[in-house]
Amino acid sequence: MQAETRLLTPDSEHLAFAAMMLAQGRLVAMPTETVYGLAADARNAHAVAAIYEAKGRPSFNPLIVHAPDLPTAMTIGEFGIQARQLADAFWPGALTLVVPLRAGSGIASLVTAGLETVAIRVPAHPVAQDLLHSFGGVVAAPSANPSGRISPTTAQHVMAGLGGKLAAVIDAGPCEVGVESTIIGWQGGLPVLLRPGGIPAEAISDALGQRLTMPAANADPNRPAAPGMLSSHYAPGAPVRMNATTAQGDEYLIGFGPVSGEITLSPSGDLVEAAAHLFDALHRADETGRPIAIAPIPDHGMGRAINDRLRRAAAPR
Ligand code: TXA
Ligand code: MG
């Protein structure tokens, strides 16, 4: 338990302090281009356990390892030809690759929840890059929110959800992408879309010259391929109604394009802008305590990731 959480500006002195905290096995919330991550030394089982504790997260949920570059990532996972192709095309960036765990990687088994695969990402955010270089290791970092709640896209979201449970939050302003990374794994040798996210699935299949498969439906529901896919995962406190064109009763309407709401994700109907504003809008709506209604979002490109998050937010609990 860490009683005082320091809010840090991302200058070199503060990053050195944050890196020292990581080296001591403590938790630091770091900005990435997707969402803020709750980082701990991925080789320190105790530090990783503190992530699960701080988030109150179900213990079977494996975490994403964040590395500064591909050579470092290759010391942790085994990259096949397609994984290499995707890393070359999209790293650093909003793509996570689930690859076989390399023997002797030293990654705490709590990170992979005992699986023989590991999820790895090289983030593009300059502050995440500086922190990883200053730390000199790799960090496990799920989104920095209490389990089952909305992902944080500002340092203030992190403080509101987890303040007092981590050593420091590095404040680098709002995240540019605003939804989590796209997760790709392989099943039976075929590339599988495990979670839609910041990089459109279409761009990934274009890079591979091959269509992506959906995850096997017969997977054990208690050990999902991507447990982030548990249905009510991104839940605000109040009910959420999708495809709404007007507010009913006391609803807080989140608009998009022609549907204007109390807050509007993108008045011009730009899906990338909408993704960047999504979680902040849900946080604001949630703070009102009123039921939430949200305008229809086209289901292509970044819209697929947005609708995926919204369906989870809307799922009955
Ligand atoms: O954008 C992001 O990816 C953010 C930022 C902080 O980098 N991180 C993030 O982490 O969303 P998290 O822990 O909230 O999501 C991890 C996802 C979960 O859905 C988990 O099931 C999946 O990655 N995952 C991790 N390891 C896996 C594995 N070995 N096999 C399949 N899925 C895995
Ligand atoms: Mg999350």
Side-chain angles (χ1 to χ4, degrees):
M1 250 307 135
Q2 287 135 338
E4 203 198 324
T5 299
R6 290 185 58 184
L7 187 62
L8 307 175
T9 52
D11 51 76
S12 57
E13 204 175 310
H14 283 145
L15 289 176
F17 171 79
M20 187 178 78
M21 290 293 105
L22 289 173
Q24 291 179 6
R26 299 185 65 189
L27 304 180
V28 174
M30 67 170 184
T32 83
E33 67 275 32
T34 58
V35 299
Y36 275 72
L38 181 57
D41 180 353
R43 294 191 168 92
N44 179 336
H46 205 91
V48 176
I51 292 179
Y52 288 94
E53 184 188 56
K55 284 183 64 91
R57 180 176 240 215
S59 60
F60 52 75
N61 257 17
L63 307 172
I64 297 173
V65 174
H66 294 65
D69 48 39
L70 177 60
T72 306
M74 288 172 70
T75 66
I76 298 158
E78 290 175 4
F79 285 67
I81 292 169
Q82 289 197 325
R84 267 304 290 266
Q85 266 181 307
L86 293 182
D88 288 339
F90 298 105
W91 279 358
L95 176 68
T96 294
L97 299 173
V98 175
V99 298
L101 182 64
R102 184 174 284 282
S105 68
I107 297 300
S109 63
L110 208 47
V111 171
T112 55
L115 300 174
E116 281 159 11
T117 51
V118 61
I120 312 178
R121 176 160 108 81
V122 173
H125 197 294
V127 174
Q129 279 285 332
D130 286 350
L131 180 64
L132 286 167
H133 281 109
S134 175
F135 172 51
V138 293
V139 300
S143 50
N145 52 284
S147 186
R149 309 300 303 221
I150 304 160
S151 294
T153 53
T154 66
Q156 288 65 40
H157 294 161
V158 180
M159 275 295 198
L162 294 176
K165 293 186 172 169
L166 66 170
V169 180
I170 304 169
D171 185 357
C175 302
E176 217 174 283
V177 177
V179 294
E180 292 90 340
S181 59
T182 304
I183 304 182
I184 300 292
W186 282 265
Q187 287 169 4
L190 296 173
V192 179
L193 179 65
L194 294 174
R195 178 176 76 183
I199 293 185
E202 293 90 331
I204 294 166
S205 43
D206 283 354
L208 291 175
Q210 186 177 345
R211 289 187 54 159
L212 300 175
T213 313
M214 292 300 135
N218 60 357
D220 179 348
N222 292 317
R223 284 189 82 84
M229 308 305 281
L230 286 173
S231 44
S232 91
H233 191 73
Y234 294 88
V240 176
R241 185 170 67 89
M242 293 177 69
N243 298 313
T245 48
T246 55
Q248 291 172 3
D250 190 31
E251 280 176 342
Y252 183 104
L253 180 65
I254 299 175
F256 176 82
V259 178
S260 71
E262 294 190 40
I263 195 167
T264 299
L265 297 177
S266 169
S268 67
D270 178 338
L271 288 167
V272 173
E273 183 188 15
H277 295 153
L278 177 66
F279 286 127
D280 192 51
L282 286 171
H283 274 283
R284 285 198 203 187
D286 201 23
E287 278 160 16
T288 67
R290 291 155 51 197
I292 301 167
I294 182 148
I297 309 291
D299 205 37
H300 57 80
M302 291 288 276
R304 281 172 72 182
I306 296 172
N307 282 320
D308 173 75
R309 303 304 183 275
L310 288 176
R311 273 190 294 273
R312 275 164 229 298
R317 282 158 254 147

